[in-house]
Amino acid sequence: AEHQHTRYNPLRDDWVLVSAHRVRRPWQGQLEKPPPEDVPRWDPNNPLCPGATRANGEVNPHYEGTFVFPNDFPALHPDAPEPDDSDHPLFRAAAARGVCKVMCFHPWSDLTLPLMSVAEIRAVIDKWAELTTELGASYSWVQIFENKGAMMGCSNPHPHCQVWASSFLPNEARLEHRTQKQHLSQHGVPMLLEYAQQEAHRKERLVVENEDWLVVVPFWATWPYQTLLLPRRHVCRLQDLSEGERDSLASIMKRLLIKYDNLFEVSFPYSMGWHGAPMGPYLEEDCKHWQLHAHYYPPLLRSATVRKFMVGYEMLAQAQRDLTPEQAAERLRSLPEVHYKQKAK
């Protein structure tokens, strides 16, 4: 906790520099604006609201639960052409095809996941599993991700995520595919299943847990309050979860996200995403080295206005963090599980 050291991340096969003493340095850098507290519940000019008109002229239905539609500005198209052949190995290109969808969690713009009911979060999980199955029948990778808050690039104050399916394995998926396969070959057990068992026993980085899931600040965490959500049993994909595991997942997600909001009493920004075994042609392959998991990457470091910047040394050398994962886990673990807004009422 007092001396800098490096830690190995077996999932990414890289290292992070831990320099916990640096969190005490004075800060005269950029201060972020806290997110607005006065988001209207319904706004006809908000393209994600029920009944609103989107950029392409389509009118949203008056949905009452989740709502999925094709992204009006997709990064991937299903019919993209093949690039020209390269005349040199340093100038290679490859085809990239896919689809991009937007998924609204709830019809109200002033709600976020931690303020939704467990039943409403369960409906989100069911839709995630449904989309993964549907898109995974044709595409190798289905990436569910949520950018929460303007600080993380969210362009709309409405509870939603995105789902991008691609014909190729993206870099992070390709890396995790390799490292998990190597670990199973060398140790005979899926990496993240063994890791969850170790963290459940050690408890020093544990944030919340229940009978089916646990959330930890990983030993190799890069972002200040980064967490890893893990199932206790071997599960390869979201659609493989049982009814009970989906219920307990909804519960533990709500508990974690309430703690995040309570940390600095602000709607906590983050980028999160699910990683599970690839699909499409990989459905015919042995993917038992994979373990389903979700990453949460929040940027806030000291307060609601001071964030961690991944620049300089992080961009040119390697990742570096300003407090230990154990310190971050202890702080999150000690926070109440009643949302600060609901406690005030």
Side-chain angles (χ1 to χ4, degrees), residues 128-173:
W128 281 344
E130 179 185 321
L131 286 169
T132 303
T133 302
E134 173 193 330
L135 297 172
S138 304
Y139 291 100
S140 295
W141 188 254
V142 180
Q143 184 59 65
I144 296 167
F145 65 97
E146 179 193 5
N147 293 325
K148 180 170 178 266
M151 194 184 303
M152 296 308 291
C154 182
S155 60
N156 191 293
H158 189 95
H160 72 285
C161 72
Q162 298 191 54
V163 185
W164 293 12
S166 62
S167 59
F168 56 91
L169 287 190
N171 292 342
E172 293 297 311

Side-chain angles (χ1 to χ4, degrees), residues 14-315:
D14 64 10
W15 294 79
V16 58
L17 172 62
V18 182
S19 312
H21 56 283
R22 277 174 51 83
V23 78
R24 295 191 292 266
R25 74 192 190 279
W27 181 262
Q28 293 182 325
Q30 178 174 323
L31 298 179
E32 307 293 338
K33 290 183 179 180
E37 297 282 348
D38 57 348
V39 176
R41 179 155 292 182
W42 183 83
D43 180 354
N45 296 315
N46 185 331
L48 298 188
C49 282
T53 302
R54 302 204 308 274
N56 62 358
E58 292 191 21
V59 178
N60 295 333
H62 290 276
Y63 64 93
E64 297 181 351
T66 60
F67 170 50
V68 179
F69 61 92
N71 193 313
D72 296 328
F73 302 95
L76 294 163
H77 292 271
D79 54 357
E82 290 277 348
D84 294 335
D85 291 335
S86 173
D87 62 355
H88 193 282
L90 294 178
F91 300 93
R92 291 187 295 169
R97 301 184 180 94
V99 295
C100 299
K101 294 181 180 289
V102 176
M103 174 183 162
C104 296
F105 297 151
H106 196 279
W108 295 356
S109 293
D110 59 343
L111 276 191
T112 54
L113 282 170
L115 293 171
M116 289 166 56
S117 69
V118 172
E120 289 168 334
I121 299 173
R122 166 65 197 266
V124 170
I125 293 166
D126 286 340
K127 183 58 70 173
W128 281 344
E130 179 185 321
L131 286 169
T132 303
T133 302
E134 173 193 330
L135 297 172
S138 304
Y139 291 100
S140 295
W141 188 254
V142 180
Q143 184 59 65
I144 296 167
F145 65 97
E146 179 193 5
N147 293 325
K148 180 170 178 266
M151 194 184 303
M152 296 308 291
C154 182
S155 60
N156 191 293
H158 189 95
H160 72 285
C161 72
Q162 298 191 54
V163 185
W164 293 12
S166 62
S167 59
F168 56 91
L169 287 190
N171 292 342
E172 293 297 311
R174 187 182 300 275
L175 187 54
E176 290 191 3
H177 189 66
R178 175 176 63 81
T179 58
Q180 290 181 96
K181 196 168 189 175
Q182 287 177 343
H183 187 92
L184 180 65
S185 175
Q186 294 172 4
H187 302 281
V189 60
M191 178 198 296
L192 291 181
L193 180 62
E194 182 178 11
Y195 180 67
Q197 293 167 348
Q198 285 290 320
E199 290 287 31
H201 172 72
R202 296 169 186 258
K203 296 192 180 302
E204 58 188 329
R205 285 169 294 275
L206 191 66
V207 177
V208 287
E209 63 178 331
N210 60 25
E211 65 274 17
D212 298 313
W213 301 86
L214 66 156
V215 177
V216 300
V217 177
F219 177 79
W220 53 80
T222 300
W223 294 91
Y225 292 97
Q226 176 180 334
T227 55
L228 185 62
L229 172 57
L230 295 162
R232 292 185 184 272
R233 77 170 178 96
H234 187 204
V235 185
C236 288
R237 300 178 176 95
L238 263 172
Q239 59 266 43
D240 299 334
L241 296 175
S242 68
E243 294 291 314
E245 287 168 332
R246 295 184 187 197
D247 286 338
S248 57
L249 174 57
S251 173
I252 204 167
M253 282 177 57
K254 183 176 176 70
R255 293 169 62 197
L256 169 65
L257 297 179
I258 286 175
K259 284 180 177 289
Y260 270 159
D261 280 9
N262 284 345
L263 179 60
F264 298 128
E265 294 198 347
V266 69
S267 184
F268 207 68
Y270 59 74
S271 284
M272 72 81 64
W274 284 100
H275 283 175
M279 285 169 284
Y282 292 89
L283 290 170
E284 303 300 321
E285 296 185 11
D286 184 358
C287 288
K288 65 177 179 291
H289 54 284
W290 269 91
Q291 174 74 330
L292 177 70
H293 59 283
H295 296 281
Y296 285 84
Y297 298 127
L300 293 179
L301 173 59
R302 305 184 189 202
S303 69
T305 61
V306 178
R307 67 179 298 186
K308 166 69 176 179
F309 287 91
M310 289 293 181
V311 296
Y313 188 85
E314 289 88 353
M315 293 178 69

